[in-house]
Amino acid sequence: MTFEELNELITDNGYEDIPLFKHPSYVDAFIGISDDNRAIYDFDLMVECLIKEDDIDASSAIEFIEYNTLKALPYYKNPPIIKVTFQTKIRV
């Protein structure tokens, strides 16, 4: 899916003015929209997308996201949410 197709899909589902990350590699990391109309991305998928599409290693992908994406969030009117999953051990 392209950025334009994602934007059209969101609009077709009744959402307007949802700020999305413009980096094309992040399209596949988009996972939904919050109840306050903010785009939601999965951090792990963002890393995977950069590894796959930009042909970089995981540490470079994380560094890119931290420097170029996370630092840009304060400049958005309604910044996207980046979901980070923590894995915990469940004791039975």
Side-chain angles (χ1 to χ4, degrees):
M1 177 180 298
T2 66
F3 175 83
E4 291 78 17
E5 291 170 332
L6 174 59
N7 201 25
E8 185 177 326
L9 176 67
I10 291 169
T11 303
D12 288 349
N13 280 285
Y15 295 96
E16 295 182 19
D17 300 323
I18 305 293
L20 300 171
F21 289 132
K22 302 270 191 249
H23 195 288
S25 294
Y26 293 160
V27 170
D28 291 333
F30 174 82
I31 58 171
I33 298 174
S34 69
D35 59 356
D36 62 348
N37 291 333
R38 294 167 56 195
I40 304 172
Y41 291 84
D42 183 288
F43 184 84
D44 292 334
L45 290 176
M46 291 169 71
V47 172
E48 287 179 25
C49 290
L50 288 174
I51 291 169
K52 177 181 163 191
E53 306 217 4
D54 294 358
D55 195 29
I56 59 176
D57 60 47
S59 63
S60 296
I62 291 168
E63 184 178 318
F64 179 88
I65 293 166
E66 288 174 346
Y67 185 79
N68 296 295
T69 306
L70 298 181
K71 287 187 176 189
L73 292 177
Y75 299 100
Y76 281 82
K77 182 179 178 185
N78 288 325
I81 296 168
I82 300 175
K83 177 186 84 74
V84 177
T85 303
F86 295 100
Q87 294 182 358
T88 59
K89 294 181 180 178
I90 299 173
R91 296 181 186 174
V92 183

